[in-house]
Amino acid sequence: MRNSTPVEQSIDNLAHRYLDGRRGSRLQAGLTEFVVFGLKQAWACVFGAALLAVIIAVRLWYPDNAALARNDFLTLAAVLIQVLMISFRLETLRELRVILLFHVVGTVMELFKTDVGSWAYEAEGLLRIGAVPLFSGFMYAAVGSYMVRVFRLFDLRFDRYPRRWITALVAGAIYVNFFSHHFIVDLRWVLLAAVVLVYGRCVMHFRVFRRRFRMPILVSFLLVALFIWFAENIGTWSRAWLYPNQLNGWQAVSIDKLLAWFLLMIISVVLVAWVYKPEPLGAEAAQTPGDAQIRPGRSDMGVTTPSE
């Protein structure tokens, strides 16, 4: 893996020690790929998972009469998580730049959205800007952390990746629409069509352990957006923030928010592309006959790939 941290390298090393020196069946190799995929995905989510665990713990056990407000505790916990990630070399300084940019972009959006009443936080604590507690920016940073880590954990490569200046224009329009739709016509469906047009032909290649797989990049956007939507339901259940329809009792976040998160993925990808330039699958890798194809509704378990 490129620029891997010690923990990330240890995942591959464990898988190698398990398989090296064994003939191994296709089932055994497939199960190893599946386990390594799960470990890498879990590791990519470590920042967001840690923050979400703290949010749940605060909801369940934080005392109501504590001198430190819940929101301030969450902010300090988020800062501590970020410091530990860097101190123990679980995250690179290169990635930290993108994560901080996510923090700024998210906080600006939070300031506007809370002002127009899209959602709300409890009015408590000192570590806040207006109605926005500072821990909220770390939730966007968690998305950034996942994106940059996935990029190198799975050694992502792309076929027919669109020109970055075009993707930047689309991402900029999406970001502006998050603000402007409160005053003028909402263009999210037009922007969705633009995303499909720009990224529709792009295929993402990713290596799990010994095998490379590929899937349409739009499918990957949707899958990540779906998991963020699940996390958002947990966050609102924990009352870290609430939508207007949840003020009188929690209910699931509208599935309509899935589109918003899907569009946010485009902004995320463009920001990450500033650090990790999307590269095509090399000529040698592109000629590998064993690339597995992941298609919606179709399993790739029957595809044979050569060991490296």
Side-chain angles (χ1 to χ4, degrees), residues 44-55:
C45 295
V46 66
F47 185 99
L51 183 58
L52 194 60
V54 173
I55 289 174

Side-chain angles (χ1 to χ4, degrees), residues 21-306:
R22 306 185 186 194
R23 294 180 61 87
S25 65
R26 287 179 59 188
L27 177 60
Q28 187 181 52
L31 288 174
T32 301
E33 294 283 343
F34 179 77
V35 171
V36 173
F37 178 82
L39 288 173
K40 288 184 176 181
Q41 283 288 346
W43 182 241
C45 295
V46 66
F47 185 99
L51 183 58
L52 194 60
V54 173
I55 289 174
I56 294 173
V58 167
R59 169 71 168 86
L60 295 175
W61 298 299
Y62 200 79
D64 293 333
N65 58 350
L68 184 66
R70 287 183 178 85
N71 287 345
D72 288 350
F73 177 84
L74 287 173
T75 298
L76 295 176
V79 172
L80 178 60
I81 293 170
Q82 184 66 80
V83 170
L84 291 175
M85 295 281 288
I86 297 297
S87 299
F88 288 97
R89 298 176 59 196
L90 307 181
E91 207 163 63
T92 68
L93 291 175
R94 186 185 186 191
E95 293 167 350
L96 183 60
R97 291 181 299 172
V98 178
I99 292 168
L100 290 176
L101 186 56
F102 271 79
H103 198 297
V104 172
V105 169
T107 300
V108 171
M109 185 183 299
E110 288 283 331
L111 288 168
F112 177 82
K113 289 292 189 177
T114 54
D115 186 61
V116 297
S118 295
W119 55 79
Y121 296 89
E122 291 184 354
E124 62 176 16
L126 300 175
L127 302 178
R128 58 194 302 114
I129 301 175
V132 179
L134 295 183
F135 80 83
S136 65
F138 286 94
M139 294 187 292
Y140 293 88
V143 176
S145 176
Y146 171 81
M147 295 293 293
V148 294
R149 293 155 77 80
V150 159
F151 206 102
R152 57 184 169 79
L153 278 170
F154 293 95
D155 191 27
L156 299 187
R157 296 290 190 271
F158 304 89
D159 284 338
R160 297 182 295 276
Y161 192 88
R163 294 183 182 275
R164 285 193 292 174
W165 68 268
I166 297 177
T167 64
L169 288 177
V170 174
I174 290 171
Y175 192 66
V176 169
N177 189 69
F178 278 124
F179 299 87
S180 64
H181 82 267
H182 291 279
F183 310 106
I184 59 175
V185 63
D186 188 351
L187 298 176
R188 70 183 63 191
W189 292 104
V190 175
L191 292 168
L192 177 62
V195 169
V196 173
L197 179 64
V198 170
Y199 286 96
R201 298 175 62 247
C202 182
V203 175
M204 180 180 71
H205 299 259
F206 60 99
R207 181 183 303 282
V208 177
F209 174 50
R210 287 180 170 174
R211 299 172 61 183
R212 273 199 179 276
F213 302 84
R214 64 177 184 248
M215 71 164 60
I217 195 171
L218 290 175
V219 174
S220 70
F221 292 163
L222 180 60
L223 291 174
V224 175
L226 184 61
F227 277 99
I228 295 175
W229 180 77
F230 286 138
E232 186 178 33
N233 274 281
I234 296 174
T236 55
W237 171 83
S238 302
R239 300 187 68 84
W241 72 96
L242 293 171
Y243 289 102
N245 65 328
Q246 297 173 324
L247 295 177
N248 296 322
W250 183 84
Q251 52 186 293
V253 176
S254 171
I255 195 66
D256 293 342
K257 295 294 182 183
L258 188 59
L259 175 57
W261 284 114
F262 180 88
L263 293 175
L264 184 67
M265 290 307 305
I266 310 306
I267 300 174
S268 304
V269 169
V270 169
L271 292 177
V272 172
W274 285 5
V275 173
Y276 294 115
K277 181 180 178 181
E279 298 176 355
L281 194 65
E284 180 180 351
Q287 294 170 2
T288 301
D291 252 8
Q293 175 80 41
I294 295 181
R295 299 180 185 274
R298 173 182 171 184
S299 171
D300 74 301
M301 292 305 293
V303 180
T304 304
T305 59

